[in-house]
Amino acid sequence: LTLLTCFSRTSTACCMLGLATIFWTELRRMGNAYFYGLFAMAGCVVAYFATGMGWADIFLQNLVGKITKSGSIDELSTATGRTDIWAEAFRLISESPALGYGYCGARFVMEDYSYHAHNIVLNAAIYAGIFASMVILAMIFVIIRGILLRPDPVVDGLAVCMLAGGMLEGLLGAPSPAASVTIWICILLWRPMN
């Protein structure tokens, strides 16, 4: 409820992806995945006919007005300005690829755009260079490998939520460690410890 009332679309979408992962894993385990797949296909058929009858245009206009802050589709196509932020982050990384700009340095070098790169891999490269971003990529690989090889619905749901959030927000690069850092570490250590 808090996510909906604060109108954080990114956080809400990440949580929904995490919950969908939990439910999908559980449904697959229970053997009901095929039923829900057929249900989703039926929804696609309904959407197809709604589009052909013009209902989708009216629905999409109303939907865009509700899910964007400005009411413009441009807000969605630029990921709420993140594409500009990422372009600036790439430019900064290319200027100092080996060392970066120091811990939480993005808030100083990107002050015209944002106080961070809205992406954990780019944040790491800005903070400490490309080697740091490779460490984050290795962690992401370990997490995805765990999801694929040793599924655990709750851990996988948290992992997908954190990965999606990490690609669109700066979950790990806060000036002081936040709950997201603790969750990230727990996800990394969960499978090796069990």
Side-chain angles (χ1 to χ4, degrees):
L1 184 61
T2 302
L3 286 173
L4 296 175
T5 57
C6 73
F7 205 54
S8 175
R9 296 160 310 208
T10 305
S11 300
T12 303
C14 293
C15 287
M16 290 172 69
L17 277 173
L19 288 173
T21 302
I22 292 170
F23 289 128
W24 180 256
T25 305
E26 284 298 308
L27 289 173
R28 243 185 28 215
R29 195 176 63 154
M30 294 170 20
N32 292 330
Y34 297 110
F35 171 75
Y36 288 100
L38 288 173
F39 185 73
M41 287 176 28
C44 289
V45 170
V46 170
Y48 174 76
F49 284 110
T51 302
M53 295 180 181
W55 298 341
D57 293 339
I58 296 168
F59 173 74
L60 288 175
Q61 287 173 350
N62 289 335
L63 182 66
V64 166
K66 288 183 169 88
I67 63 172
T68 62
K69 292 179 181 174
S70 67
S72 169
I73 193 76
D74 293 337
E75 189 176 320
L76 295 178
S77 64
T78 63
T80 321
R82 283 177 176 83
T83 53
D84 295 335
I85 294 168
W86 294 334
E88 177 65 7
F90 279 116
R91 186 188 70 74
L92 290 167
I93 292 165
S94 71
E95 290 178 2
S96 182
L99 299 176
Y101 295 90
Y103 185 65
C104 291
R107 68 180 50 230
F108 304 109
V109 295
M110 294 187 72
E111 62 188 347
D112 293 338
Y113 291 86
S114 180
Y115 60 93
H116 59 84
H118 286 277
N119 180 295
I120 57 176
V121 177
L122 295 177
N123 272 344
I126 289 173
Y127 293 172
I130 292 179
F131 177 73
S133 66
M134 289 192 297
V135 170
I136 296 292
L137 286 171
M139 289 182 199
I140 291 170
F141 173 77
V142 167
I143 290 171
I144 291 172
R145 182 174 174 264
I147 290 170
L148 296 174
L149 298 180
R150 291 184 56 202
D152 183 320
V154 175
V155 175
D156 294 349
L158 282 171
V160 167
C161 181
M162 291 295 294
L163 289 172
M167 294 300 113
L168 298 170
E169 291 291 343
L171 293 177
L172 301 179
S176 60
S180 58
V181 174
T182 306
I183 293 169
W184 183 265
I185 292 169
C186 289
I187 291 168
L188 280 170
L189 297 177
W190 182 263
R191 287 177 181 90
M193 304 281 289
N194 283 332

